[in-house]
Amino acid sequence: MRIDIITALPQIVEGPLDQSILHRAQEKGLAEVHVHDLRAFTTDKHRQVDDYPYGGGAGMVLKPEPIFAAVEYIAEEAEGEPDEIIFLTPDGDVFDQPMANTLSLKNHLVLIAGHYKGIDQRVRDVLVTREISIGDYVLSGGELPALVLVDAVVRLVPGVLGDAQSALSDSFQEDLLDAPTYTRPAIFRGMEVPSVLRSGDHSRIAEWREKERRRKTTRRRPDLLQDSDT
Ligand code: ADE
């Protein structure tokens, strides 16, 4: 899978992409993540990526020309149009696990990170195919949301996680939160690991986990149980 991130602040996204699972996915050739500095697509002397809003108001607005140029450059480099051009914005559809699952099946995603309130509407009207929010709170830009999306999506690409099962049992994968987990020691400061987990009886363990998932979900997120088919 290929993901391109277009941003005026490339330093914010570059660091995390070079760590841990995202780094390993790229090393293994399972994901290719490219970061594009909007400034590289400006043509004026001052390399200006934003400008004042028409009609007045606070804040600066990202100009359309460099964004269009970046998307065209990416399509040429990838030798084809991307599957989705996603704009990260607090007024988009709220990101969730089913959306991550769907996006993980695509071959090529382009993510546009903007300043909040600050992108020319024509980019959204004709270039963007999906608008996604990572939650009902406002961040100062789309860079962290873009990283959240990349992490959630890339870890679902087959082969990225060591244990193929582990993404499937994640919280939310079946509208249920995950069960508690423990590691050694069996007793720590008087607190004991549930004996069933040390019993070696896999069917009892699976039963215990299922029960714990339901119990935790009922207590913390009853809304998840309401709209599930089970
Ligand atoms: N940009 C600023 N806040 C955001 C959010 N919550 N989700 C996506 N993009 C954003």
Side-chain angles (χ1 to χ4, degrees):
M1 137 172 272
R2 173 175 172 144
I3 301 176
D4 291 85
I5 304 174
I6 300 171
T7 169
L9 298 165
Q11 305 93 315
I12 296 181
V13 292
E14 273 160 3
L17 292 172
D18 277 336
Q19 305 294 325
S20 187
I21 287 178
L22 288 177
H23 179 72
R24 242 183 303 134
Q26 292 174 86
E27 289 220 303
K28 287 198 220 162
L30 299 167
E32 210 184 293
V33 187
H34 303 267
V35 179
H36 304 274
D37 185 349
L38 257 189
R39 245 168 251 290
F41 298 94
T42 54
T43 51
D44 63 308
K45 195 170 79 192
H46 301 291
R47 308 180 80 200
Q48 203 179 335
V49 295
D50 54 12
D51 208 337
Y52 294 98
Y54 272 113
M60 299 291 273
V61 177
L62 288 179
K63 292 165 66 60
E65 307 97 307
I67 299 175
F68 274 76
V71 168
E72 282 155 13
Y73 169 85
I74 291 164
E76 207 166 296
E77 196 187 57
E79 294 177 3
E81 299 298 320
D83 297 307
E84 300 277 5
I85 300 176
I86 298 168
F87 176 50
L88 286 309
T89 174
D91 58 11
D93 298 332
V94 179
F95 192 54
D96 60 8
Q97 194 61 44
M99 219 185 274
N101 294 347
T102 303
L103 293 175
S104 75
L105 301 172
K106 310 273 182 185
N107 287 316
H108 186 192
L109 305 175
V110 172
L111 310 182
I112 302 172
H115 314 313
Y116 174 48
K117 274 191 181 149
I119 190 170
D120 190 280
Q121 182 61 33
R122 290 165 289 190
V123 172
R124 301 175 72 161
D125 289 344
V126 312
L127 218 46
V128 167
T129 61
R130 281 194 87 134
E131 301 195 324
I132 296 179
S133 164
I134 63 158
D136 289 341
Y137 42 84
V138 178
L139 299 166
S140 41
E143 285 76 17
L144 295 175
L147 284 172
V148 165
L149 190 148
V150 169
D151 188 296
V153 166
V154 168
R155 64 190 292 286
L156 297 172
V157 172
V160 168
L161 292 186
D163 177 359
Q165 278 303 95
S166 82
L168 291 176
S169 63
D170 281 340
S171 284
F172 302 109
Q173 267 312 1
E174 294 160 39
D175 282 340
L176 287 177
L177 302 180
D178 211 350
T181 54
Y182 298 87
T183 187
R184 287 188 290 188
I187 302 172
F188 172 66
R189 298 192 179 180
M191 297 174 282
E192 205 169 329
V193 174
S195 58
V196 56
L197 294 178
R198 295 179 282 144
S199 68
D201 183 337
H202 295 292
S203 74
R204 268 186 65 221
I205 290 170
E207 219 172 90
W208 181 86
R209 285 191 172 138
E210 182 67 17
K211 207 177 77 206
E212 291 297 320
R213 295 184 76 185
R214 290 194 179 277
R215 187 155 73 159
K216 191 193 278 188
T217 309
T218 305
R219 210 170 347 110
R220 290 198 186 162
R221 295 292 307 275
D223 57 301
L224 292 178
L225 295 170
Q226 263 148 33
D227 47 40
S228 101
D229 354 315
T230 51

